[in-house]
């Protein structure tokens, strides 16, 4: 089992992770985890733990993990948006077929405001994208 463990372990935190070097090559054959750094995904900062100096291998592995983590979080973000579209469709079906007057009264204003806000931002963003692709006036 110990041979299958990775050399590094990343304990996920709000904006990154605490980084540990995993050691199984000791006298007691115990798994030891030595914290070597803290990373912040938001600003790309890597802080060595205490007076420790990171090796080039440590640095490469941390940077590889950070790139992988950023990609995973981006995938999750877009998946959440696709789920929101599903929820909007399910909400429409619920409003049309199942909701009572009291239930509708309790959610209508909040839904209308949220949808209006979303629509406003989507329309503005779409217009901005379209303006980027249109040739400037006087160009052919």
């Amino acid at each position: 089992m110990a041979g299958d463990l990775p050399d590094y372990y990343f304990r996920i935190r709000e904006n990154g992770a605490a980084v540990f070097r995993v050691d199984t090559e000791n006298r007691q054959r115990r798994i030891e985890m030595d914290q070597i750094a803290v990373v912040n995904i938001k600003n790309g900062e890597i802080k060595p733990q205490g007076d420790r100096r990171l090796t080039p291998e440590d640095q490469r592995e941390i940077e590889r993990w950070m790139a992988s983590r950023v990609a995973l979080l981006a995938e999750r973000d877009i998946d959440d948006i696709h789920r929101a579209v599903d929820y909007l469709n399910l909400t429409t079906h619920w409003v049309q077929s199942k909701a009572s007057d009291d239930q509708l009264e309790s959610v209508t204003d909040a839904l209308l405001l949220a949808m209006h806000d979303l629509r406003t931002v989507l329309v503005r963003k779409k217009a901005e994208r379209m303006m980027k692709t249109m040739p400037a006036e006087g160009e052919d």
Side-chain angles (χ1 to χ4, degrees), residues 2 8 20 31 39 65 70-71 78-79 83 88-89 97 105 136:
Y8 298 90
F20 296 85
I31 298 171
V39 297
W65 179 86
V70 166
I78 196 67
D79 187 53
R83 288 174 197 224
L88 283 171
N89 285 307
S97 63
E105 189 61 37

Side-chain angles (χ1 to χ4, degrees), residues 71-111:
L72 174 64
L73 293 174
E75 286 176 29
R76 287 181 180 171
D77 279 349
I78 196 67
D79 187 53
D80 286 346
I81 301 308
H82 287 292
R83 288 174 197 224
V85 172
D86 288 349
Y87 283 126
L88 283 171
N89 285 307
L90 291 169
T91 301
T92 302
H93 178 71
W94 173 81
V95 166
Q96 188 172 24
S97 63
K98 298 178 184 177
S100 71
D101 288 346
D102 287 343
Q103 289 172 321
L104 287 172
E105 189 61 37
S106 72
V107 298
T108 296
D109 290 343
L111 280 170

